[in-house]
Amino acid sequence: MTLLNEVLTQDNTPQALIDVVACIANCCCQIAEQVGHGALGETLGATEAENVQGEVQKKLDIIANDLLVAALVAQGSVRTIASEEEEHARVATHGAPYIVAFDPLDGSSNIDVNGQIGTIFTVFNARDDVPDHSEEQFFQAGSKQICAGYVLYGPYTTLVISTGTAVHEFTLNKMRGEFYASKLAMVFHAGMREFSANMANLFYWPKKFQNHILGMIAPQSASTRFTMRWQGAMVGDVHRILTRGGLFIYPGDSRDIKQPAKLRLLYEAFPMALLIEAAGGCAYTEQGRILAASLNELHQRTPVILGDKTFVSECFTALSAAEKCIA
Ligand code: P6P
């Protein structure tokens, strides 16, 4: 069984980046341990606090965030950190080569119901043209990511990662606290008629897009009808799509015109787009390719349509033809 760092070395990943990934992976081992305690630990339930997203913070959100922040500040090769749970970026090590953004616990509303949750992370080269403490460190195109990955805390814990070429899956041996290769060079399975969407938002989507989605599930010949899965945690849905194909959509909607999109560009859409594209799928906003988008606000939100190239392009066409519910 091949270890995470051995595979990354075989991928010619710089040692300093392997060390950052190892730091994140070690934190996720600890988070997996905490998650596994359930009601027997001190980790379930919510705090009184709200994060910058206006979401009630779960205890485990804070535990996971604090673990990652402390470890990355101490790690030595990370200049600046950004977290979904923190309003501003923070300096870790002045002048260090990398910057790291993460969603420490994606899908945390699933915690108290033993649902899927995960950690999502992305790594860029640091910028020398803006101050180390500035959130402008992260104002880069998605295509500038040098590493992206997630850890899914499911019945077993998996880490999926790419340093820009292949996508590999690793499974955690909790006894040893080590991730071992379980799928190397994952390849996207085209043609899987299974989609993920929160269908409760259907009537808030542009009419033409509503009709497109309804056409995917209308009673018609069984060979073309889609089935649906919605985990309520992007990591769970994207992992299933990376593993067996399908389509993930979280389009803009008219529920809150001031905040028409929900998912965050920096630490949800960018890393998932890199992984999906590296495996052979594609990933779009409603305006174009996610990796071609650039960040201009730390917690910027974006519509997301990703997965099977054929199904994504059909959605993109329906949305592009649709009256935009967002400018
Ligand atoms: P909804 C979790 O809060 C998240 O950011 C993603 O992980 C997930 O796919 C989505 O939001 C769930 O959204 O509207 O179903 O609660």
Side-chain angles (χ1 to χ4, degrees):
M1 297 288 273
T2 313
L3 284 164
L4 171 61
N5 64 317
E6 292 168 344
V7 172
L8 294 181
T9 301
Q10 288 162 11
D11 281 354
N12 299 315
T13 306
Q15 188 56 51
L17 181 54
I18 292 176
D19 295 343
V20 171
V21 170
C23 173
I24 295 169
N26 183 47
C27 286
C28 292
C29 288
Q30 297 174 62
I31 295 168
E33 169 73 20
Q34 296 277 357
V35 166
H37 291 156
L40 303 181
E42 299 300 313
T43 56
L44 296 190
T47 68
E48 304 301 313
E50 268 194 5
N51 62 16
V52 64
Q53 322 291 341
E55 297 162 343
V56 173
Q57 286 186 307
K58 300 287 189 182
K59 289 177 190 167
L60 215 45
D61 280 323
I62 295 175
I63 292 168
N65 182 69
D66 293 354
L67 266 171
L68 283 159
V69 167
L72 289 168
V73 163
Q75 197 277 333
S77 296
V78 178
R79 185 178 305 189
T80 314
I81 296 171
S83 167
E84 186 207 32
E85 295 302 331
E86 301 195 346
E87 184 169 1
H88 302 296
R90 66 160 83 203
V91 174
T93 303
H94 281 291
Y98 305 121
I99 62 174
V100 178
F102 53 84
D103 181 351
L105 213 64
D106 174 59
S108 51
S109 61
N110 283 346
I111 292 171
D112 295 350
V113 295
N114 200 12
Q116 289 191 319
I117 49 181
T119 298
I120 310 172
F121 60 91
T122 181
V123 187
F124 295 78
N125 289 312
R127 293 176 59 178
D128 294 321
D129 60 335
V130 297
D132 292 0
H133 68 272
S134 168
E135 63 187 25
E136 290 181 68
Q137 284 286 336
F138 294 92
F139 292 5
Q140 302 188 42
S143 57
K144 295 291 188 186
Q145 293 175 99
I146 58 171
C147 174
Y150 61 79
V151 175
L152 174 60
Y153 309 107
Y156 49 94
T157 297
T158 48
L159 181 149
V160 172
I161 188 169
S162 177
T163 52
T165 49
V167 184
H168 307 303
E169 178 200 84
F170 299 84
T171 299
L172 177 62
N173 177 322
K174 291 188 176 178
M175 304 291 285
R176 297 182 179 178
E178 294 283 4
F179 283 96
Y180 290 87
S182 37
K183 288 190 186 77
L184 290 177
M186 296 174 83
V187 175
F188 198 86
H189 297 273
M192 179 66 170
R193 290 177 177 275
E194 184 171 66
F195 78 104
S196 287
N198 182 341
M199 289 298 281
N201 300 331
L202 177 74
F203 298 109
Y204 296 97
W205 298 339
K207 189 68 184 161
K208 288 176 185 171
F209 190 65
Q210 290 181 37
N211 293 337
H212 174 68
I213 297 299
L214 292 173
M216 289 164 54
I217 56 175
Q220 56 193 24
S221 61
S223 63
T224 58
R225 221 174 146 271
F226 279 68
T227 186
M228 197 202 109
R229 295 284 185 277
W230 186 245
Q231 301 299 335
M234 192 179 192
V235 283
D237 287 312
V238 169
H239 188 68
R240 187 195 62 256
I241 291 165
L242 260 178
T243 304
R244 68 186 189 204
L247 170 70
F248 178 96
I249 47 177
Y250 209 116
D253 63 58
S254 57
R255 286 175 296 166
D256 175 355
I257 207 67
K258 290 189 300 301
Q259 185 174 298
K262 175 171 187 186
L263 301 183
R264 273 61 56 138
L265 182 60
L266 175 58
Y267 37 77
E268 288 178 318
F270 274 171
M272 294 312 199
L274 184 145
L275 295 168
I276 289 285
E277 284 203 0
C282 67
Y284 278 71
T285 70
E286 294 177 8
Q287 276 71 42
R289 185 169 168 252
I290 287 176
L291 294 185
S294 281
L295 196 82
N296 48 48
E297 188 272 316
L298 198 59
H299 300 290
Q300 179 175 340
R301 296 170 185 264
T302 179
V304 174
I305 310 150
L306 61 76
D308 187 294
K309 284 183 175 176
T310 301
F311 304 146
V312 169
S313 59
E314 289 169 355
C315 284
F316 187 71
T317 303
L319 276 168
S320 304
E323 309 86 41
K324 284 280 178 285
C325 70
I326 54 177

